[in-house]
Amino acid sequence: VASPGPLDPRQGIVLEAPNLSGWRDVPLAPRLSEALGTRVFLGNDANCAALGEFTYGAGREVRYLVYVTISTGIGGGVIDGGRLLEGATGAAGEVGHMTIDLAGPRCNCGNVGCWEALASGTGITAQARAALARGEPSSLAGHEHVSADLVTAAAHAGDPLARAIIDRAARATGFGLVNLAHLYDPELIVLGGGVLQAGDLILGPARQIFDTYAMPNYRRTCRITTAALGDDVGLYGAGALVHLRLADDSLSA
Ligand SMILES: [Zn+2]
């Protein structure tokens, strides 16, 4: 099962997922296991997506990969030498909560200026609503339901406020990618998620930032590409996770 986190993959418990209302310390894997009469493994959805792209998608030819999804939030997973980087508690890879801007907006996680607060769908929407509440002029003014899609469409149409917000998201994404290259030295960074439907408004400036600020070695060796598996990436990854856990079992047996 690929689930939003934070979670404890070893015990199979979803701890307190902000995007699953009312879920707190839910023993999801044990309960499913009991109901289905079979073994059940639990993984963070973004980590599973990284495994999916690595095993079946855009990363099949590489051993070192970082996957980033830019959608409602920003999540990620790191494949290091063909292994999923899990961390001490199984919670490694929260790439969206690296601080990009010390003076940036408050993030849902409590931190400030996170990549997620600047460039996720939630972050783009929140910045637009705050600017409109301050009375900044925009074609978005008066819209009842301002969404990231709406901001993106207004940016494409040349609205200055929407352009500024999307440009900030694009720059934040560029610096996020620079940080990931410096931290993990991947051969490939795979980008997925709905926000990328903004296309070149996000990817163009992000690539430009990467080509300017990543250290030369990483610029030469790290490629950036878009995801290959689409909406089912978590399912593919959950399948890959089963193979990984069974292989771990046979090693420790
Ligand atoms: Zn955050």
Side-chain angles (χ1 to χ4, degrees):
V1 179
S3 163
L7 50 79
D8 177 343
R10 282 150 201 164
Q11 308 290 328
I13 299 172
V14 178
L15 297 174
E16 42 182 325
N19 296 325
L20 297 174
S21 178
W23 285 50
R24 202 179 180 91
D25 299 333
V26 177
L28 185 60
R31 277 194 200 168
L32 284 174
S33 185
E34 199 182 309
L36 299 170
T38 187
R39 293 181 72 184
V40 175
F41 302 103
L42 179 70
N44 174 289
D45 53 0
N47 281 357
C48 283
L51 270 178
E53 287 291 342
F54 168 65
T55 312
Y56 305 111
R60 272 174 304 172
E61 309 296 323
V62 304
R63 307 257 306 146
Y64 296 84
L65 171 155
V66 179
Y67 171 84
V68 182
T69 175
I70 307 182
S71 50
T72 310
I74 294 182
V78 178
I79 306 289
D80 185 68
R83 297 281 307 177
L84 177 67
L85 185 75
E86 299 195 82
T89 66
E94 284 292 349
V95 300
H97 299 284
M98 65 168 83
T99 294
I100 300 286
D101 182 355
L102 298 183
R106 175 78 64 177
C107 181
N108 285 338
C109 76
N111 198 353
V112 290
C114 294
W115 185 0
E116 174 166 314
L118 293 164
S120 70
T122 313
I124 288 169
T125 306
Q127 289 174 86
R129 287 185 183 153
L132 294 171
R134 288 193 299 270
E136 291 188 27
S138 166
S139 63
L140 297 167
H143 271 282
E144 217 167 291
H145 299 290
V146 173
S147 65
D149 284 349
L150 201 64
V151 178
T152 301
H156 275 294
D159 180 80
L161 174 67
R163 278 306 272 265
I165 291 169
I166 294 296
D167 190 56
R168 194 183 189 196
R171 291 173 55 79
T173 298
F175 284 109
L177 298 177
V178 169
N179 291 339
L180 290 176
H182 290 172
L183 281 169
Y184 299 114
D185 188 16
E187 298 162 81
L188 187 67
I189 299 176
V190 181
L191 298 172
V195 171
L196 292 177
Q197 280 159 14
D200 272 357
L201 285 185
I202 296 277
L203 282 181
R207 282 184 191 276
Q208 219 167 9
I209 297 268
F210 188 85
D211 289 338
T212 307
Y213 295 106
M215 287 189 248
N217 169 52
Y218 303 103
R219 251 180 273 161
R220 276 195 301 274
T221 57
C222 175
R223 288 183 300 119
I224 298 167
T225 189
T226 48
L229 295 179
D231 289 345
D232 287 339
V233 64
L235 295 175
Y236 284 102
L241 182 70
V242 172
H243 289 291
L244 192 89
R245 292 287 183 248
L246 294 178
D248 285 348
D249 282 3
S250 65
L251 281 179
S252 58

